[in-house]
Amino acid sequence: MEFPGVLFPSYFGCGPPKDEGGPAPAAGWGERGKVLEAGPGQRQVLPPLVPLRGHEGESWAPAEAAAVPLLPPNMGCWVPTVTPRDILYHGILHRKLRTGRSGAALDFAKQLGHFFVDHPEDAFSSLGRLLHKNFHLGDSRLRKRSVRDTTIRMTSLVENINHMEARRGCPQHQFTSRLRLFSHLCRDWLFEVPLGLLADCVHEELLLQWTSLLFDDSSTGGALAWLPPQDASSRVGRLVYPGGLAMNHLYFQDVVLEEQPRARGLPVQFELNGRIWQVAATRVDGQDFVGVRSDYHCGVWRMPGKTGAAPSPLQVIHTDVPASCLTVSPYLSGELSVCTQSGAVYLWNIETGLQRLRHDPQTLFFRDHSPWRWSDFTAHPRVLSCADRTGILCLDARAPTSCHFDFFKVGEEAKCEQGERVVLPMYLGRAHPCQHLVATQFAIYLLDERLPLVPVLKWSHMMKAPPLFADIVPGESGRSHKALLGTSHTQELLLLQYTGGSQKACQLAGPPQQLHSIASCLPHLPTQLPHQHHLLHQRLSIPAAGLAAVQHEQGQQESLLVFQLSEAGDVFYQMLRHEAALSPVPDQGDEAEPAPNPNKEDEAAAPPSSPILFGSEEEEQEEEEEQTFYLSNLEVIINDEEEEEEGVVATPAATEEPEPQASPKSVPDVPSAPAALRYRRWLRALLQAWMGSPASSCRSGPPTLSQRRLFTRKELSEMAPSVLQQYQLQLRQAMRKRGRIQRWEPAPEPPGPPPSLEPNALSARLTAAWRGEWGAVGPAGSTLQRQQALRERRRRQKRSRAHRSLSASFTSSITYQSELSELSEGGTPRTPPATPREVAVSSPPGTPPPPPTEILLSSQELRSRGIPKERRRTLRDYLSVWAEGPQDPPEAPSSITVQRCIPSSQSQLSSSQSQLSSASQPRRKRPRMGF
Amino acid sequence: MDALQVGSALQPALHLPFLPRHLYRAASSNERRLNFWRSKELCLNYIQDALLRKQWKRAAEFLTSYIESLEKDFSTEYMGPSEIIWRVGTEILCNHSPSNVREFNSFIEQMKTLGVKRYLKVCLEHAFHLLCNGRIDEAYQNLSLAESWRFGERTVTQDKEMKLIQAYRGLLDYYSWSNKKNILLEYEKDGFEDMSVEQEMHGFFRKAAVNLKEIIKIPGVWDLFVKSYVDLLEFYGDHQEAREVLTDYAYNSKFPANPNAHVYLYQFLKRHGAPKKSLISALKILHDIVPSHELMIDFNTMLQKSKKRKRRRLGLEVIFAVLDYAGWKKNVKAWSCLARQVKQIVISEKHLDWIKQEWNSRKDWWPAFHFSRYLAKSNWQENERLSYEKALVAGVLLGKDCKYFKYVSHHGCKAQVKKFRTLKKFVNKHSSAYLSISGL
């Protein structure tokens, strides 16, 4: 326990922090801090001087291109996290918020609306029951006079509401006076819970949600812990992490440290009755003690030193106020410290019970409203540190009221900035018995207990969010200690190295290094269909919930393994390899391109000893097959709402906020074969689980579509009611049987005049709409749509002309090609393709060859079919568009009659070239305006 | 009023450095300046990202684009683009081409002209860089140049920076002085004198002393400067002044509780043969502020040798306190100190109450902390001597049935080591001591 003989010079002052501006975006760079002589100077030679920062550190290079999943995805967790869009009005936050001048507007009216719609029984039951006789919602007029006197017709009101809903978010929209009147009239009596009260409650809850969205401290400390191997020879450690539906299951998973870490066997599992926020673990006398904190319960588990022994729960305590901290003593077995949000600090011994050391609802050094408290152990087993947002105090558990000293103050003592607050204190006993790490939202401080109040090291970490998780990998025999800092929402992960503490003063070694976030693996996963990509993106960018790091040696190669946990319960890892100092720190951007791994999809490329992640070897062989099966068996999910979301689905990559990704040439570009295999397995497991989850079924149900938007009243009334009824009947039957609508038996032809085209078009559109392709069909529509069709037609004409002149004999296939290329030019397809299978069925063999389209195109023919004049042109354009594509493939034996169904050319297309169909179809499904 | 409250509640619980990216989209209709601001910010993000991934070259490319932001620097922020450029540029140059000092110098010279407020800081950092690269003379020139800089009224920060510049210049003067001193000492050995060297040396002394004296008056951690200044004073025989300086550095309440200040004072007193009483009082204060300091072992030895009962009592207190700390857990020296004193007391059978008092506050956790069976096993395997000393203490404090003592003495006897046998005999003989300590 030596104390450095000479410390780096620094000023010392007291009082509140000086107002010197504020957080700076690049404050951590470029400074040397101070300099100090490295050692006793020899005679005649000046002592070499070393800087506080900028000293050379060890070089650790990431071994993979991104974080790699360690365990299969946490199956249960599908509850989407709250987004700002859910609770903010218009979802736009202005820059002002950054400066703190104005807040965001909470859209609690929307939430109230959701409540009324989702729980009408709770909202209106009694009055609804009383009044339902007096409200009429049907279309028909009220006949009876007696009824008419006591009943109000609400249809138009409902229509008004619907219209308003459709224009939601439109800045121009105005409330109709009728709605206003109605709401004014019934505001006081209609609701089960008084509206004002309910709104207050909702608003309060929204405020809480919003503040937790900005900064949530409940996961401070992290819920991932690594229990190192029992002895040096064994390579099996244990990972402790939460999972399950509500993150309320505690898992102990054996992990073998090899070339790539892998899980061994099934995890030991405990179900708890609360969401796990923090998992803390230390080893005392060869036994691991694991403390688990949820809101109102804290528990402790013991992991016996013997290998293969199962963890056993020891004790649980219940708190009235949510606990905010749980740390495990590294000295005495079964001793922990607990803090609650009421400001109480307890020393919890399994044998002797709880001892309250301190209870003070006020903060330590100045007033701060946060109820967050933290406590940790120090170099003295009886002295605990107690922290809140304003600083840290150390107190002796034997005489907590009289024996204490100030350890860290947010103020001039540590040269803090205004608004700076303690976010995460951590005892670094494994690196040096006297050192503590204190992280604020701006900087990290390294403190030595022997020199309180003056940080021995300070560095602005420049992270975008306050670091909530940290871990330390002690460096032995004079090597640098590695500190890892992690943030929650932004998933940032920073590796810092520092040296010193005993003989020499502490120095920051080397520049800080950013490690991969969980979301970084998104581009390395196999390409997905847009909605799955969206799901994946959502899943991977869920806030982080914990981190753990371990250093181990693989032969001569030292590696640093970093585990990350996401709030969804997924565990990822990344490996860093130590590079022995060769030359000055290499510029990684300058290095030659890393060896690419072109056949990463190739199973054979995996080394024979490649670890098996989640399955047997047979599965591995089936992999390829199943992969394609997945792709072909996708359901088409088209959802109204999703489309309104400014094309989140459309081009997932493009609409994302451009995250700074300045690293197209980072160390390895492509995941290694084992990593790629893990990606695919993880993805497969995730998608499989998702398909079976209630979340997917409620989202991927048949597209709901308002008829009103599809057909005008006039269109519907033009049709013979009997035909309409027939179709409705068929539709219902098909729905009941869950069959395909396209298999309809052709309706018995009404005798007499040839069927008009109108019902045909209607049926076709109905069909297509039912299959989720309404965007593709329809000659009738707005002018915009017509223009689009026209433009498209011209383009296609041009193209096909050019192609034809090249080689007329390949017309058809070339057209497909051009379609494909068009597809790729036009960006990602907006909607996923329909399954080829479904389409293939739609072409019953043996139908007569199609009549030449020219017949349809002539105006006489159109007139004879009773098509209004203004529509003829559109129809002609439309038909000619379709006629051009597969001009006349004479060899195509199977094609459907155009007579029955206009988009038959489409089915023709797909049947003749089924392998291309999945690619060529989306073009036609591009949703158009005006429907 | 309500709106006001709501507004404040909408603020984050913590003043966040950057509003999380996922929380905002670009404000829709704002003027061009905002776009410029955004692209500037984006560019900075790219730079940051490249730096954090150690892609220095790439970061440099982005930085060249970022320099454009200087043209429209409307910012009133504390850290404007020019400071960012200085910081980032320095970082890139330090890491990308660490040996190319000329390039670095030319970059820094340009940076010095960019901002008046930052001039001193840039100068200081420049000097640090040169010093770390062993270019003492250049650094000295830089510091002198910075010292002569005048620009209006200085802010508090600038004042501090200026003092630091002067102090570092003083430190360099001190280094030159000690160089000259060494030369002179060698000359003296050889038996001839050189007046010019001597005069130069005195010149350096004056320059160094003035500057160093200045900074150590200000509260702070000035180990380096204090040491140098005291060395100067001692050489010229001004012990009184040196002592005052050290006493002030150690005991001035405006200064932080720096253990080194007490160590320097103690060493100074020891060098100059101060009476034992003052040495002990110096160490007593160190013991009060840092009970785990490594000097406490010396302190304990000193106290044990003393004839005064009070001091021996203090010695026991000191050594017990040292062993409270996790860092001393496996230290043989500390344990042998305690074992020796405990043995002494037990043999003399006087002052068993001292041990009892010390033990009272520790008996509920020392057994688990120091004397568990697991520790007995690992201590025995790793360090036989440590386990011997600890077993002696355990035997006295916890009796012969204590797990630690039993394990170690058993294995020691089995391994035919003589001292363990005597240890066993000793503990058995003095089992009455255990009884009186534990209060049975």
Side-chain angles (χ1 to χ4, degrees):
Chain A
M1 286 264 282
E2 281 171 274
F3 190 74
V6 183
L7 295 169
F8 281 99
S10 69
Y11 283 100
F12 179 77
C14 295
K18 296 248 163 67
D19 182 18
E20 277 182 346
W29 300 117
E31 260 187 67
R32 293 276 174 171
K34 308 280 162 14
V35 289
L36 197 62
E37 52 194 72
Q42 289 135 9
R43 284 176 178 262
Q44 310 231 355
V45 183
L46 282 176
L49 289 152
V50 289
L52 183 62
R53 207 187 89 65
H55 195 62
E56 263 179 42
E58 291 170 21
S59 166
W60 290 87
E64 284 290 345
V68 182
L70 175 74
L71 303 168
N74 181 22
M75 296 305 188
C77 201
W78 299 108
V79 185
T81 47
V82 176
T83 60
R85 199 176 294 174
D86 295 335
I87 51 177
L88 287 193
Y89 193 67
H90 285 182
I92 295 174
L93 266 178
H94 291 281
R95 211 181 131 205
K96 278 180 194 161
L97 188 68
R98 288 160 49 90
T99 49
R101 261 174 286 164
S102 88
L106 292 174
D107 193 359
F108 82 100
K110 183 162 87 179
Q111 297 299 325
L112 272 182
H114 284 320
F115 172 70
F116 295 149
V117 172
D118 295 343
H119 305 277
E121 276 299 303
D122 299 328
F124 311 107
S125 60
S126 40
L127 271 161
R129 227 168 281 137
L130 278 175
L131 288 175
H132 85 275
K133 276 182 191 158
N134 306 72
F135 279 14
H136 177 65
L137 291 165
D139 266 331
S140 58
R141 291 206 158 270
L142 295 165
R143 300 257 163 77
K144 265 191 205 164
R145 201 191 167 87
S146 58
V147 178
R148 220 182 320 174
D149 287 344
T150 56
T151 311
I152 318 168
R153 200 162 159 263
M154 301 294 285
T155 320
S156 56
L157 199 69
V158 172
E159 258 174 25
N160 273 341
I161 290 174
N162 285 343
H163 282 184
M164 202 183 74
E165 197 52 42
R167 275 180 299 171
R168 197 180 171 78
C170 169
Q172 301 291 322
H173 96 60
Q174 286 162 346
F175 294 96
T176 52
S177 55
R178 202 198 310 214
L179 276 178
R180 200 189 291 270
L181 191 69
F182 181 74
S183 74
H184 195 74
L185 269 176
C186 63
R187 177 174 292 162
D188 296 334
W189 49 264
L190 184 63
F191 304 94
E192 199 78 349
V193 184
L195 191 59
L197 190 69
L198 189 66
D200 270 353
C201 292
V202 171
H203 196 254
E204 202 175 306
E205 171 63 20
L206 278 181
L207 263 183
L208 282 178
Q209 293 274 357
W210 172 238
T211 39
S212 80
L213 206 61
L214 284 169
F215 176 64
D216 189 6
D217 56 18
S218 38
S219 63
T220 308
L224 186 66
W226 169 254
L227 313 181
Q230 280 298 333
D231 46 89
S233 58
S234 144
R235 299 204 153 274
V236 187
R238 248 175 206 178
L239 216 50
V240 189
Y241 59 95
L245 209 61
M247 298 287 272
N248 62 335
H249 289 249
L250 183 69
Y251 294 102
F252 291 78
Q253 170 74 60
D254 282 356
V255 173
V256 186
L257 300 176
E258 283 172 351
E259 192 83 30
Q260 304 273 333
R262 67 180 169 86
R264 195 182 70 176
L266 286 171
V268 181
Q269 185 180 341
F270 294 91
E271 189 182 339
L272 317 183
N273 60 355
R275 187 197 163 120
I276 296 169
W277 288 113
Q278 193 197 346
V279 175
T282 41
R283 178 160 295 174
V284 188
D285 285 359
Q287 287 183 327
D288 287 306
F289 286 86
V290 180
V292 174
R293 166 171 69 90
S294 66
D295 271 334
Y296 293 97
H297 294 93
C298 295
V300 82
W301 271 256
R302 181 176 50 206
M303 192 76 177
K306 283 166 266 167
T307 38
S312 53
L314 296 179
Q315 213 168 55
V316 177
I317 54 165
H318 170 78
T319 55
D320 290 336
V321 188
S324 62
C325 153
L326 181 68
T327 45
V328 190
S329 165
Y331 308 116
L332 302 177
S333 49
E335 195 164 87
L336 300 97
S337 84
V338 185
C339 295
T340 65
Q341 291 188 353
S342 64
V345 181
Y346 295 93
L347 186 67
W348 173 22
N349 193 304
I350 288 175
E351 278 154 25
T352 59
L354 287 169
Q355 180 197 352
R356 192 165 79 183
L357 302 183
R358 195 185 140 80
H359 180 81
D360 189 2
Q362 304 292 320
T363 42
L364 288 170
F365 301 111
F366 53 89
R367 212 183 307 169
D368 188 272
H369 61 269
S370 171
W372 176 87
R373 296 289 184 277
W374 194 264
S375 128
D376 211 333
F377 290 85
T378 66
H380 192 298
R382 291 289 94 183
V383 177
L384 271 81
S385 68
C386 301
D388 58 34
R389 295 268 176 247
T390 66
I392 304 175
L393 178 89
C394 285
L395 48 83
D396 195 316
R398 294 167 294 186
T401 43
S402 56
C403 285
H404 53 79
F405 64 92
D406 298 346
F407 185 38
F408 178 79
K409 264 185 204 175
V410 171
E412 186 56 21
E413 287 87 350
K415 293 175 191 61
C416 298
E417 287 176 41
Q418 267 191 342
E420 193 161 353
R421 296 288 181 271
V422 175
V423 173
L424 175 73
M426 188 168 92
Y427 175 49
L428 302 176
R430 283 191 289 153
H432 187 282
C434 287
Q435 282 175 349
H436 291 251
L437 179 84
V438 177
T440 66
Q441 70 268 48
F442 303 136
I444 56 149
Y445 300 84
L446 204 63
L447 289 152
D448 195 305
E449 276 172 40
R450 296 165 291 184
L451 177 59
L453 296 178
V454 185
V456 289
L457 194 70
K458 176 189 174 175
W459 183 68
S460 306
H461 56 62
M462 301 175 287
M463 289 168 107
K464 297 209 163 51
L468 286 184
F469 323 115
D471 202 3
I472 182 87
V473 180
E476 276 149 28
S477 58
R479 289 183 56 187
S480 65
H481 307 298
K482 287 112 208 151
L484 285 131
L485 295 174
T487 64
S488 176
H489 273 287
T490 49
Q491 292 189 353
E492 286 163 281
L493 202 57
L494 209 60
L495 171 69
L496 287 174
Q497 300 176 44
Y498 73 93
T499 58
S502 320
Q503 281 146 5
K504 287 182 187 165
C506 283
Q507 281 173 279
L508 211 58
Q513 194 178 342
Q514 191 163 46
L515 308 186
H516 301 304
S517 64
I518 296 175
S520 70
C521 72
L522 188 63
H524 301 288
L525 289 166
T527 318
Q528 292 302 306
L529 292 168
H531 69 287
Q532 285 175 343
H533 184 96
H534 180 61
L535 167 81
L536 215 55
H537 176 72
Q538 255 185 355
R539 177 82 174 199
L540 291 174
S541 42
I542 276 179
L547 79 90
V550 56
Q551 188 174 344
H552 74 111
E553 264 171 56
Q554 190 77 48
Q556 290 295 308
Q557 180 69 56
E558 273 182 300
S559 27
L560 187 69
L561 197 59
V562 182
F563 298 103
Q564 288 156 281
L565 173 76
S566 80
E567 271 186 11
D570 299 331
V571 181
F572 285 71
Y573 75 91
Q574 57 191 301
M575 187 102 85
L576 296 155
R577 300 237 160 85
H578 182 228
E579 290 169 344
L582 301 166
S583 50
V585 190
D587 186 337
Q588 308 199 343
D590 294 345
E591 278 177 6
E593 283 293 307
N597 198 349
N599 41 1
K600 57 167 177 168
E601 295 293 315
D602 194 357
E603 230 39 314
S609 64
S610 77
I612 293 143
L613 178 55
F614 342 109
S616 64
E617 304 208 41
E618 292 147 62
E619 253 186 86
E620 201 174 328
Q621 284 158 4
E622 285 169 13
E623 179 104 357
E624 277 314 292
E625 254 176 84
E626 280 193 43
Q627 195 71 22
T628 49
F629 169 73
Y630 270 128
L631 285 169
S632 63
N633 197 27
L634 286 169
E635 285 178 66
V636 182
I637 298 160
I638 299 165
N639 211 323
D640 250 19
E641 290 158 42
E642 265 180 75
E643 275 185 51
E644 279 164 15
E645 282 181 30
E646 323 162 38
V648 179
V649 184
T651 46
T655 46
E656 283 154 28
E657 188 73 10
E659 282 290 322
Q661 285 274 331
S663 58
K665 292 199 283 179
S666 121
V667 184
D669 247 351
V670 189
S672 64
L677 183 65
R678 280 182 186 217
Y679 283 137
R680 264 177 292 152
R681 288 221 168 114
W682 186 84
L683 185 69
R684 185 173 59 184
L686 180 79
L687 292 181
Q688 216 161 33
W690 186 67
M691 293 294 183
S693 73
S696 78
S697 60
C698 75
R699 294 196 68 193
S700 66
T704 50
L705 199 63
S706 144
Q707 262 195 341
R708 200 182 302 277
R709 284 156 133 209
L710 263 184
F711 308 103
T712 58
R713 194 182 292 251
K714 205 175 153 199
E715 255 176 326
L716 285 170
S717 60
E718 264 174 27
M719 202 156 39
S722 64
V723 179
L724 190 64
Q725 273 170 4
Q726 207 171 17
Y727 283 138
Q728 275 173 347
L729 195 73
Q730 279 170 347
L731 197 66
R732 267 194 216 111
Q733 268 172 356
M735 282 165 78
R736 213 171 292 133
K737 286 185 206 156
R738 293 174 157 261
R740 292 190 177 81
I741 306 163
Q742 278 202 327
R743 268 190 186 161
W744 286 353
E745 302 298 317
E749 295 278 318
S756 74
L757 198 83
E758 214 67 345
N760 285 347
L762 189 61
S763 82
R765 285 167 64 191
L766 256 178
T767 314
W770 184 249
R771 280 169 40 206
E773 299 167 17
W774 69 86
V777 223
S782 67
T783 48
L784 186 78
Q785 196 185 350
R786 279 178 223 167
Q787 281 170 359
Q788 217 172 342
L790 261 176
R791 221 176 290 140
E792 210 159 287
R793 178 191 158 207
R794 266 186 231 121
R795 208 169 54 216
R796 289 173 57 84
Q797 265 177 343
K798 246 188 231 168
R799 241 176 240 195
S800 59
R801 230 180 282 136
H803 285 306
R804 262 178 228 164
S805 63
L806 280 173
S807 56
S809 58
F810 293 108
T811 324
S812 58
S813 60
I814 282 167
T815 323
Y816 299 136
Q817 281 305 324
S818 76
E819 275 172 5
L820 275 176
S821 64
E822 194 179 347
L823 188 74
S824 57
E825 277 166 25
T828 346
R830 188 169 177 104
T831 46
T835 61
R837 241 199 288 176
E838 205 175 302
V839 177
V841 176
S842 65
S843 55
T847 38
T853 28
E854 280 82 345
I855 300 170
L856 276 170
L857 290 178
S858 71
S859 56
Q860 286 95 339
E861 177 68 18
L862 291 176
R863 199 189 307 140
S864 72
R865 289 184 182 225
I867 291 171
K869 199 179 170 191
E870 71 274 6
R871 289 209 174 165
R872 269 177 226 154
R873 198 187 149 74
T874 325
L875 188 61
R876 259 208 307 277
D877 286 343
Y878 178 76
L879 288 173
S880 64
V881 163
W882 296 125
E884 266 163 24
Q887 184 77 70
D888 40 1
E891 72 281 6
S894 61
S895 50
I896 201 162
T897 162
V898 184
Q899 216 175 333
R900 200 55 253 152
C901 181
I902 285 176
S904 64
S905 54
Q906 178 190 346
S907 54
Q908 195 179 12
L909 240 173
S910 38
S911 60
S912 58
Q913 288 269 335
S914 63
Q915 73 272 31
L916 279 169
S917 63
S918 64
S920 58
Q921 272 185 23
R923 224 193 118 258
R924 265 158 236 171
K925 282 189 292 172
R926 227 171 263 164
R928 289 174 194 165
M929 299 281 290
F931 264 108
Chain B
M1 187 61 205
D2 265 5
L4 217 138
Q5 272 177 349
V6 165
S8 66
L10 280 167
Q11 297 304 315
L14 208 64
H15 180 67
L16 296 167
F18 312 99
L19 192 69
R21 184 160 286 279
H22 66 278
L23 291 188
Y24 69 88
R25 289 181 266 161
S28 49
S29 62
N30 233 324
E31 71 274 48
R32 235 180 101 238
R33 207 174 113 188
L34 190 70
N35 285 334
F36 181 66
W37 172 81
R38 263 190 69 73
S39 54
K40 214 168 77 178
E41 195 195 42
L42 213 65
C43 185
L44 187 63
N45 276 337
Y46 282 125
I47 295 175
Q48 195 92 316
D49 190 66
L51 286 178
L52 284 171
R53 287 166 205 262
K54 302 190 182 177
Q55 299 164 340
W56 312 115
K57 206 170 170 182
R58 207 174 159 70
E61 281 164 20
F62 282 120
L63 185 64
T64 47
S65 319
Y66 190 76
I67 286 173
E68 203 178 305
S69 61
L70 278 179
E71 287 177 21
K72 295 180 193 167
D73 184 3
F74 307 124
S75 63
T76 49
E77 286 156 41
Y78 163 61
M79 186 178 280
S82 58
E83 173 147 5
I84 290 169
I85 290 167
W86 162 58
R87 284 177 181 275
V88 171
T90 314
E91 190 73 29
I92 293 170
L93 285 173
C94 282
N95 288 293
H96 187 44
S97 50
S99 50
N100 196 342
V101 177
R102 235 182 65 196
E103 211 170 80
F104 187 84
N105 284 350
S106 71
F107 173 74
I108 290 292
E109 288 307 327
Q110 284 180 43
M111 287 301 115
K112 281 180 191 172
T113 60
L114 269 184
V116 175
K117 267 196 282 180
R118 222 174 17 256
Y119 178 80
L120 289 176
K121 181 152 192 158
V122 175
C123 284
L124 197 60
E125 287 291 330
H126 189 195
F128 288 158
H129 184 84
L130 293 168
L131 284 175
C132 291
N133 283 304
R135 300 182 167 235
I136 310 289
D137 295 337
E138 270 180 67
Y140 190 83
Q141 276 172 21
N142 256 300
L143 288 173
S144 330
L145 207 70
E147 211 183 328
S148 61
W149 180 74
R150 295 281 178 277
F151 185 86
E153 229 165 79
R154 284 197 300 240
T155 61
V156 181
T157 330
Q158 279 175 332
D159 230 28
K160 282 183 173 176
E161 276 157 3
M162 185 57 100
K163 286 258 162 59
L164 215 52
I165 285 173
Q166 287 165 349
Y168 268 104
R169 205 173 62 94
L171 186 71
L172 292 184
D173 283 328
Y174 163 74
Y175 287 147
S176 313
W177 172 84
S178 72
N179 249 352
K180 291 280 179 274
K181 186 187 78 179
N182 288 336
I183 293 170
L184 268 187
L185 285 177
E186 257 171 41
Y187 282 175
E188 258 173 44
K189 233 192 273 169
D190 298 339
F192 57 83
E193 280 180 28
D194 189 336
M195 284 307 284
S196 67
V197 174
E198 205 174 327
Q199 265 184 356
E200 266 183 68
M201 187 179 99
H202 295 325
F204 281 128
F205 160 72
R206 274 190 296 276
K207 278 197 270 182
V210 168
N211 281 332
L212 292 176
K213 193 180 173 183
E214 204 60 33
I215 191 132
I216 57 180
K217 281 182 195 158
I218 306 165
V221 178
W222 310 121
D223 293 359
L224 195 58
F225 304 137
V226 169
K227 262 182 116 168
S228 311
Y229 187 54
V230 169
D231 192 23
L232 288 175
L233 292 176
E234 275 186 278
F235 184 81
Y236 288 99
D238 195 352
H239 298 311
Q240 188 53 38
E241 164 95 18
R243 195 181 168 141
E244 270 169 28
V245 165
L246 285 171
T247 318
D248 189 54
Y249 189 50
Y251 299 142
N252 191 334
S253 60
K254 280 182 184 165
F255 281 66
N258 183 356
N260 279 340
H262 300 269
V263 175
Y264 296 157
L265 180 65
Y266 167 72
Q267 283 166 346
F268 175 83
L269 293 174
K270 209 173 159 189
R271 267 202 304 272
H272 295 280
K276 211 162 201 178
K277 199 179 156 193
S278 56
L279 286 183
I280 286 174
S281 74
L283 285 179
K284 172 82 174 53
I285 291 166
L286 182 62
H287 163 73
D288 287 342
I289 61 165
V290 187
S292 63
H293 201 275
E294 73 253 30
L295 275 183
M296 290 305 116
I297 300 294
D298 295 356
F299 188 35
N300 171 265
T301 341
M302 194 194 291
L303 291 170
Q304 261 191 54
K305 280 181 202 153
S306 168
K307 292 205 176 93
K308 285 188 187 158
R309 256 195 339 183
K310 216 171 135 194
R311 287 191 185 163
R312 289 211 304 278
R313 168 90 180 80
L314 180 65
L316 190 70
E317 212 180 301
V318 166
I319 196 68
F320 260 108
V322 162
L323 284 168
D324 279 349
Y325 285 87
W328 289 98
K329 214 175 162 180
K330 288 181 180 176
N331 192 297
V332 184
K333 217 170 163 187
W335 277 108
S336 67
C337 281
L338 179 64
R340 194 169 47 208
Q341 196 161 5
V342 164
K343 204 171 165 182
Q344 238 174 41
I345 291 171
V346 168
I347 288 171
S348 70
E349 289 190 358
K350 270 190 267 173
H351 314 305
L352 276 173
D353 56 318
W354 294 354
I355 302 182
K356 191 180 168 184
Q357 271 175 22
E358 291 301 322
W359 183 239
N360 259 343
S361 63
R362 295 178 171 90
K363 65 181 170 197
D364 54 337
W365 57 282
W366 264 42
F369 182 53
H370 284 308
F371 305 127
S372 70
R373 201 185 139 76
Y374 178 86
L375 279 174
K377 210 170 151 186
S378 69
N379 286 161
W380 173 254
Q381 276 165 3
E382 285 162 19
N383 193 340
E384 198 188 289
R385 175 132 183 259
L386 174 70
S387 64
Y388 170 79
E389 306 287 1
K390 274 179 82 172
L392 175 72
V393 177
V396 172
L397 294 173
L398 289 163
K400 59 182 191 301
D401 292 332
C402 130
K403 278 178 264 174
Y404 195 96
F405 175 74
K406 257 165 102 178
Y407 183 93
V408 172
S409 62
H410 177 73
H411 280 80
C413 294
K414 221 162 92 183
Q416 304 281 330
V417 185
K418 200 186 158 198
K419 64 178 177 183
F420 284 99
R421 210 158 284 165
T422 45
L423 167 73
K424 206 170 177 177
K425 267 186 210 156
F426 175 82
V427 170
N428 280 335
K429 194 177 154 195
H430 295 282
S431 55
S432 60
Y434 156 67
L435 294 176
S436 73
I437 288 166
S438 60
L440 291 171

